[in-house]
Coordinates of all heavy atoms in Angstrom, one line a residue:
F1 N -7.5 -3.2 -2.6 CA -6.1 -3.2 -2.1 C -6.0 -4.3 -1.0 O -7.0 -4.5 -0.2 CB -5.8 -1.9 -1.5 CG -5.7 -0.7 -2.5 CD1 -6.0 -0.9 -3.8 CD2 -5.1 0.5 -2.1 CE1 -5.9 0.1 -4.7 CE2 -5.0 1.6 -2.9 CZ -5.4 1.4 -4.3
T2 N -4.8 -4.8 -0.8 CA -4.5 -5.7 0.2 C -3.2 -5.5 0.8 O -2.2 -5.4 0.1 CB -4.5 -7.2 -0.3 OG1 -5.8 -7.5 -1.0 CG2 -4.3 -8.2 0.8
I3 N -3.2 -5.3 2.2 CA -2.0 -5.0 2.9 C -1.5 -6.2 3.6 O -2.3 -7.0 4.2 CB -2.1 -3.9 3.8 CG1 -0.8 -3.5 4.5 CG2 -3.1 -4.2 4.9 CD1 -0.8 -2.2 5.3
T4 N -0.3 -6.6 3.4 CA 0.4 -7.7 4.2 C 1.7 -7.3 4.7 O 2.3 -6.3 4.2 CB 0.5 -9.0 3.2 OG1 1.3 -8.6 2.0 CG2 -0.8 -9.5 2.7
R5 N 2.3 -8.2 5.5 CA 3.6 -7.9 6.0 C 4.4 -9.2 6.3 O 3.8 -10.3 6.5 CB 3.5 -7.1 7.3 CG 2.9 -7.9 8.5 CD 2.8 -7.0 9.7 NE 4.1 -6.9 10.3 CZ 4.4 -6.1 11.4 NH1 3.4 -5.3 11.9 NH2 5.6 -6.0 11.9
D6 N 5.7 -9.1 6.2 CA 6.5 -10.2 6.5 C 7.6 -9.7 7.4 O 8.5 -9.1 6.9 CB 7.1 -10.7 5.1 CG 8.1 -11.9 5.4 OD1 8.2 -12.3 6.5 OD2 8.7 -12.3 4.4
S7 N 7.5 -9.9 8.7 CA 8.4 -9.4 9.7 C 8.5 -7.9 9.6 O 7.6 -7.2 10.1 CB 9.8 -10.0 9.5 OG 10.7 -9.6 10.5
A8 N 9.5 -7.4 9.0 CA 9.7 -5.9 8.9 C 9.6 -5.4 7.5 O 10.0 -4.3 7.2 CB 11.1 -5.5 9.4
T9 N 8.8 -6.0 6.6 CA 8.5 -5.5 5.4 C 7.0 -5.6 5.2 O 6.3 -6.5 5.6 CB 9.2 -6.5 4.3 OG1 10.6 -6.4 4.4 CG2 8.8 -5.9 2.9
V10 N 6.5 -4.4 4.6 CA 5.0 -4.3 4.4 C 4.8 -4.2 2.9 O 5.6 -3.5 2.2 CB 4.4 -3.2 5.2 CG1 5.0 -1.8 4.8 CG2 2.9 -3.2 5.1
Y11 N 3.7 -4.8 2.4 CA 3.4 -4.8 1.1 C 1.9 -4.2 0.9 O 1.1 -4.3 1.8 CB 3.5 -6.1 0.4 CG 4.7 -6.9 0.7 CD1 4.8 -7.8 1.8 CD2 5.7 -6.7 -0.2 CE1 6.0 -8.4 2.1 CE2 7.0 -7.4 0.0 CZ 7.0 -8.3 1.1 OH 8.2 -8.9 1.3
L12 N 1.8 -3.6 -0.2 CA 0.4 -3.1 -0.6 C 0.2 -3.6 -2.1 O 0.7 -3.0 -3.0 CB 0.3 -1.6 -0.5 CG -1.1 -1.1 -0.7 CD1 -2.1 -1.5 0.4 CD2 -1.2 0.5 -0.8
Q13 N -0.7 -4.5 -2.2 CA -1.2 -5.0 -3.5 C -2.3 -4.2 -3.9 O -3.4 -4.2 -3.2 CB -1.6 -6.5 -3.5 CG -2.0 -7.0 -4.8 CD -0.9 -7.0 -5.9 OE1 0.2 -7.3 -5.7 NE2 -1.4 -6.6 -7.1
M14 N -2.3 -3.5 -5.0 CA -3.3 -2.6 -5.5 C -3.8 -3.0 -6.8 O -3.0 -3.2 -7.8 CB -2.7 -1.2 -5.6 CG -2.1 -0.6 -4.3 SD -1.6 1.1 -4.5 CE -0.3 1.0 -5.7
N15 N -5.0 -3.5 -6.8 CA -5.7 -4.0 -8.1 C -6.9 -3.0 -8.4 O -7.3 -2.2 -7.6 CB -6.3 -5.4 -7.8 CG -5.2 -6.4 -7.4 OD1 -4.1 -6.3 -7.9 ND2 -5.6 -7.3 -6.6
S16 N -7.3 -3.2 -9.6 CA -8.5 -2.4 -10.1 C -8.3 -0.9 -9.8 O -9.1 -0.3 -9.4 CB -9.8 -2.9 -9.5 OG -10.0 -4.2 -9.7
L17 N -7.1 -0.4 -10.2 CA -6.7 0.9 -9.9 C -7.5 1.9 -10.6 O -8.0 1.7 -11.8 CB -5.2 1.2 -10.1 CG -4.3 0.6 -9.0 CD1 -2.9 0.5 -9.6 CD2 -4.2 1.5 -7.8
K18 N -7.8 3.1 -10.0 CA -8.6 4.1 -10.5 C -7.8 5.4 -10.6 O -6.8 5.5 -9.8 CB -9.9 4.4 -9.6 CG -10.7 3.1 -9.4 CD -11.9 3.4 -8.4 CE -12.7 2.3 -8.2 NZ -13.8 2.6 -7.2
S19 N -8.2 6.3 -11.4 CA -7.5 7.6 -11.5 C -7.4 8.3 -10.2 O -6.4 9.0 -9.8 CB -8.1 8.5 -12.5 OG -9.5 8.7 -12.2
E20 N -8.4 8.1 -9.3 CA -8.4 8.8 -8.0 C -7.5 8.1 -7.0 O -7.3 8.7 -5.9 CB -9.8 8.8 -7.4 CG -10.6 7.5 -7.4 CD -11.5 7.4 -8.5 OE1 -11.1 7.7 -9.7 OE2 -12.7 6.9 -8.3
D21 N -6.9 7.1 -7.5 CA -5.8 6.5 -6.6 C -4.4 7.2 -6.8 O -3.4 6.9 -6.1 CB -5.6 4.9 -6.8 CG -6.9 4.2 -6.5 OD1 -7.4 4.5 -5.4 OD2 -7.3 3.3 -7.2
T22 N -4.4 8.0 -7.8 CA -3.1 8.7 -8.0 C -2.7 9.6 -6.9 O -3.5 10.3 -6.4 CB -3.3 9.6 -9.3 OG1 -3.4 8.8 -10.4 CG2 -2.1 10.5 -9.5
A23 N -1.5 9.3 -6.4 CA -1.0 10.0 -5.2 C 0.5 9.6 -4.9 O 1.0 8.6 -5.6 CB -1.9 9.6 -4.0
V24 N 1.1 10.3 -4.0 CA 2.3 9.8 -3.4 C 2.0 8.9 -2.2 O 1.2 9.3 -1.4 CB 3.2 10.9 -3.0 CG1 4.5 10.3 -2.3 CG2 3.5 11.8 -4.2
Y25 N 2.5 7.7 -2.2 CA 2.2 6.7 -1.2 C 3.3 6.6 -0.3 O 4.5 6.5 -0.6 CB 1.9 5.3 -1.8 CG 0.5 5.2 -2.5 CD1 0.3 6.0 -3.6 CD2 -0.5 4.5 -1.9 CE1 -1.0 5.8 -4.2 CE2 -1.7 4.4 -2.5 CZ -2.0 5.1 -3.6 OH -3.3 5.1 -4.1
Y26 N 3.0 6.7 1.0 CA 4.1 6.6 2.1 C 3.9 5.6 3.0 O 2.8 5.2 3.5 CB 3.9 8.0 2.9 CG 4.2 9.3 2.3 CD1 3.2 9.9 1.6 CD2 5.5 9.8 2.1 CE1 3.4 11.1 0.9 CE2 5.7 10.9 1.5 CZ 4.7 11.6 0.9 OH 5.0 12.8 0.2
C27 N 5.0 4.8 3.3 CA 5.1 3.8 4.3 C 5.2 4.4 5.7 O 5.9 5.5 5.8 CB 6.3 2.9 3.9 SG 6.6 1.7 5.2
Y28 N 4.5 3.8 6.7 CA 4.5 4.4 8.1 C 4.6 3.2 9.0 O 3.8 2.3 8.8 CB 3.3 5.2 8.3 CG 3.0 5.6 9.7 CD1 3.7 6.7 10.2 CD2 2.2 4.8 10.5 CE1 3.5 7.1 11.6 CE2 1.9 5.3 11.8 CZ 2.6 6.4 12.4 OH 2.4 6.7 13.6
V29 N 5.6 3.3 9.9 CA 5.7 2.1 10.9 C 5.9 2.7 12.3 O 6.3 3.9 12.5 CB 6.8 1.2 10.6 CG1 6.7 0.6 9.2 CG2 8.2 1.9 10.8
T30 N 5.4 1.9 13.2 CA 5.6 2.4 14.7 C 6.2 1.2 15.4 O 6.1 0.0 15.1 CB 4.2 2.6 15.3 OG1 3.5 1.4 15.4 CG2 3.4 3.7 14.5

């Protein structure tokens, strides 16, 4: 996985996904 951001937007590039990556993904900012 690779996390990047552009000002106020955040991205998560997820490669080579596995079954154990199954989940609800939440964005969080401070």
Side-chain angles (χ1 to χ4, degrees):
F1 291 10
T2 303
I3 189 170
T4 57
R5 65 181 288 175
D6 178 6
S7 183
T9 301
V10 63
Y11 307 93
L12 186 68
Q13 177 67 42
M14 304 184 294
N15 299 328
S16 302
L17 283 161
K18 305 175 181 180
S19 57
E20 51 261 46
D21 295 318
T22 295
V24 177
Y25 284 69
Y26 297 90
C27 175
Y28 170 82
V29 304
T30 67

